[in-house]
Each structure stands twice: as structure tokens, then as C-alpha cells.
Amino acid sequence: MAVQADAAWYDAQYNNRARVPEASAILARWAEASALARSGLRARLDLAYGETPAEKLDVFPAQRPASPVLVFIHGGYWRALDKADHSFIAPAFVKAGAMVVVPNYALCPAVTIEDIALQMTRALAWTYRHAAAHGGDPGRLVVVGHSAGAHLAAMLLACRWKEVGADLPQRPVVGAIGISGVYDLDPVRQAPFLQADLQLTPASVRRLSPAFFPRPRGPLYAVVGSDESDEFIRQNRLIRDQWGPSTVPVCETLNGRHHFDVLHDFVDPGARTHQLALRLLGLDGLGGAT
């Protein structure tokens, strides 16, 4: 019985769609807002950053040359959702003066989380090499991820980039934001609702848990909703505890937000997470592009 109780606890802590009754309605609104964003902005859709069908990204060009670049990585426990569900994050940041990139990745169980992490290195390398053609400054790349995307953003911050491409700088990512991230994958491995798709093992957990990697230079800003599970709040503190305040200078809980509407703060110009993103992009003092 103890094993069953433990399994149920992990599911209760990590199954966010079960925790938030309105999750399906929120995801539907994201998809609708994303379709509107694609129709209302200049966009280059489905550009290939790699060789497999899933390795595509959408670019929302900057309004002027040499603008900072925001790369947004979606969540979905590495097994669900799509870049097309997340175009809604682009308008506020294009208006503020950034180029926005939203990559796709292949989904588990067709691939492993390790495969996805490597796909994201290719997406970032593509962005560095092609940013200037879309109004971006390759020296000002900021990565933001939500949920599983925050895990991938942390992985990119810790990447050894010279092993990805000799033409890449040591630190192409100037900063990152993890929104409701998972940085220790061992409890995720123990959640029954994810086990069949993710196929995590103790060995893969060690390779894929950025909380236990050597501390990168950062900065990583880590935020989580106050209405999220105890485990998500712990994961947010864990990355600060492990990487230290010099690498994670911001570790905050956003009042009244759950795992899905926490992302609304990211696109709300008056909200804390949006302001943190503008700070990393160097746009917090510009008042938007004209």
C-alpha cells in the first residue's frame, strides 16, 4: 500500500492538468490567441533548423536591425503541445523591440528527452547563425521556457557550446528564465502517468537533471506560481539552492498563479515575469520599439 500511496502522491504533485480544472480551456485559448498572433504579425513559419520533420521553428522578425532575440521553449512534459500553441507569446515582445523564435521539438515516446535536449541545441545554434537575417543580434540571445521548456532552457544555459559548433561562442545564451520548471527529473521518473512516455531511468535522470550539473555562469531567473504543487515550488527553490544566487539571482513565487496562468504573467507588460524578460533582453528602459 505504501508504494501505491507514493505513486499517487507523485501523480498528484506533477499532473498539472488534473490539478487545474480549467487547463483544457486555457490551452484552447492559447491556441486561438496564437492563430491571431500569426495572422497579425510578420512571421516566417516552419523554418528547418535540423533534418527531422519535427525540427522546425517559427520566427517573428524584429522591427529594426540588431534587436535582442527571445527564444521561447514550450512545455508539455516533453510529450505534448506544439510551437503553434504558443505564438501568443510573440506580440508583446515584438512590440517591445525583440525578435522572437518559437521552436518545435519531437515528442516522447517517439524520441527521448536526451534527443529533445540535443534538438534544442540545434535550434539555438540555428538562431545564432540566422538571427541577423531577421533583425536579431546574435550576441543577445535570451531563452525562456515553461515547465518542461524551463528544464530545456536550463540545459541550454549549461551546454558546452563549442562541442555543438566551432563557430559558436562559449556562451551564446546571455540569460534565461525558467517558468515553473523541473530541474531534478527523479520525481518525474516516479510519476506513473508519465512513465510509459518518458521512459526515464536512474542513469538518464543523472544525465538530464540540470540542478546537479556544474554551475553555469547564468543568469537564470526562476519563477513559479504560488498555487502550484509543493513539488513545483520545491523545484524552483532547488535550482537556486544548487546553482547559487550568483547564477540564479531571481527565485520568486508569483502570487495567485497556477501552472498554466503563470505563463500569462510572461506576456502581460505590467507583470513581473514580463519585466524580468525585458531586463534580460536589455529592453526594460526603452519603452518599446517605435
Side-chain angles (χ1 to χ4, degrees):
M1 293 297 293
V3 172
Q4 291 178 343
D6 287 344
W9 183 85
Y10 284 113
D11 270 3
Q13 288 292 310
Y14 284 94
N15 191 338
N16 290 297
R17 296 200 195 195
R19 288 183 60 86
V20 180
E22 63 269 32
S24 294
I26 291 172
L27 293 174
R29 289 200 296 273
W30 288 1
E32 293 170 5
S34 293
L36 289 173
R38 291 190 298 275
S39 66
L41 291 174
R42 287 191 306 130
R44 298 289 309 280
L45 304 178
D46 294 317
L47 300 178
Y49 67 81
E51 296 181 357
T52 68
E55 293 179 68
K56 302 287 196 301
L57 52 77
D58 295 341
V59 173
F60 300 90
Q63 296 175 340
R64 56 191 177 195
S67 295
V69 182
L70 172 69
V71 179
F72 178 81
I73 307 176
H74 74 78
Y77 274 131
W78 309 274
R79 65 177 190 159
L81 301 180
D82 189 273
K83 64 180 173 59
D85 301 314
H86 294 83
S87 309
F88 76 91
I89 68 97
F93 288 100
V94 171
K95 182 178 180 181
M99 167 187 163
V100 176
V101 178
V102 186
N104 248 3
Y105 47 85
L107 300 175
C108 300
V111 298
T112 67
I113 297 175
E114 290 169 282
D115 295 327
I116 294 169
L118 290 172
Q119 287 180 339
M120 289 299 91
T121 68
R122 292 193 285 275
L124 210 290
W126 184 98
T127 301
Y128 177 83
R129 292 164 181 152
H130 295 89
H134 304 283
D137 178 352
R140 300 166 71 192
L141 302 188
V142 171
V143 179
V144 179
H146 174 234
S147 194
H151 163 267
L152 295 167
M155 296 284 282
L156 293 177
L157 202 61
C159 181
R160 295 189 294 268
W161 285 102
K162 285 296 185 182
E163 297 181 22
V164 177
D167 62 318
L168 300 174
Q170 295 276 6
R171 295 180 64 237
V173 180
V174 300
I177 301 179
I179 302 171
S180 303
V182 281
Y183 308 106
D184 170 12
L185 298 196
D186 190 62
V188 175
R189 178 181 68 86
Q190 299 184 62
F193 81 104
L194 293 170
Q195 286 171 349
D197 284 339
L198 302 188
Q199 295 290 307
L200 286 165
T201 66
S204 63
V205 162
R206 286 192 295 273
R207 291 193 299 271
L208 292 165
S209 293
F212 306 114
F213 289 1
R215 179 190 311 172
R217 285 182 60 186
L220 171 71
Y221 296 168
V223 300
V224 68
S226 67
D227 293 350
E228 301 204 46
S229 70
D230 292 343
E231 271 293 279
F232 270 88
I233 292 171
R234 182 191 68 83
Q235 291 266 5
N236 197 64
R237 290 197 304 265
L238 176 67
I239 197 66
R240 170 72 169 263
D241 292 344
Q242 292 296 121
W243 281 5
S246 60
T247 295
V248 188
V250 173
C251 180
E252 295 182 1
T253 301
L254 304 176
N255 189 44
R257 291 301 192 185
H258 57 60
H259 191 75
F260 297 95
D261 66 4
V262 70
L263 197 51
H264 301 170
D265 273 32
F266 177 57
V267 298
D268 177 357
R272 172 65 170 165
T273 312
H274 187 87
Q275 294 298 318
L276 290 173
L278 294 184
R279 180 192 301 176
L280 285 179
L281 291 163
L283 295 171
D284 50 334
L286 296 183
T290 58

